[in-house]
Amino acid sequence: MQLAVNQNTILKVYNELCREKVLTVERGDGTYVSASQTEMTPQQRRAAVSELLRPAVVQAVQLQLTADEIKQLVDAEFAALSSQDSSD
């Protein structure tokens, strides 16, 4: 909710991570990162992030934000995360 990501998007990502054997679902116990996880290639990482960003970009375009405004928002989020990481 805090990140305003649609629940269906999250479920799709979880399903994809399970399909790629990055996550393991133990029914009644929880979801875990697989011990046998292989490192994702740069292309796989970009594809995973692209899948998450697409709905946000679609919504931004529907709200008539420009590409520059969207880039500024992404840059601001990076800056916020960077400052949060350095304070931890």
Side-chain angles (χ1 to χ4, degrees):
M1 293 180 92
Q2 194 174 29
L3 297 176
V5 178
N6 186 296
Q7 185 176 4
N8 290 331
T9 302
I10 295 168
L11 291 174
K12 284 171 48 178
V13 171
Y14 266 80
N15 287 334
E16 179 66 18
L17 291 172
C18 288
R19 190 182 67 73
E20 292 177 6
K21 298 183 179 158
V22 174
L23 295 179
T24 303
V25 176
E26 300 293 332
R27 299 269 181 225
D29 193 29
T31 303
Y32 300 94
V33 176
S34 298
S36 63
Q37 176 191 357
T38 58
E39 181 143 344
M40 292 175 74
T41 67
Q43 183 178 3
Q44 289 170 321
R45 289 194 299 264
R46 283 191 300 273
V49 172
S50 179
E51 187 173 331
L52 290 170
L53 286 175
R54 184 165 181 76
V57 172
V58 167
Q59 186 172 10
V61 169
Q62 289 173 344
L63 294 170
Q64 300 178 343
L65 272 68
T66 66
D68 285 337
E69 290 171 317
I70 296 168
K71 289 174 189 174
Q72 289 172 358
L73 289 169
V74 171
D75 288 343
E77 290 300 323
F78 263 109
L81 286 173
S82 295
S83 67
Q84 183 181 14
D85 288 344
S86 63
S87 66
D88 287 345

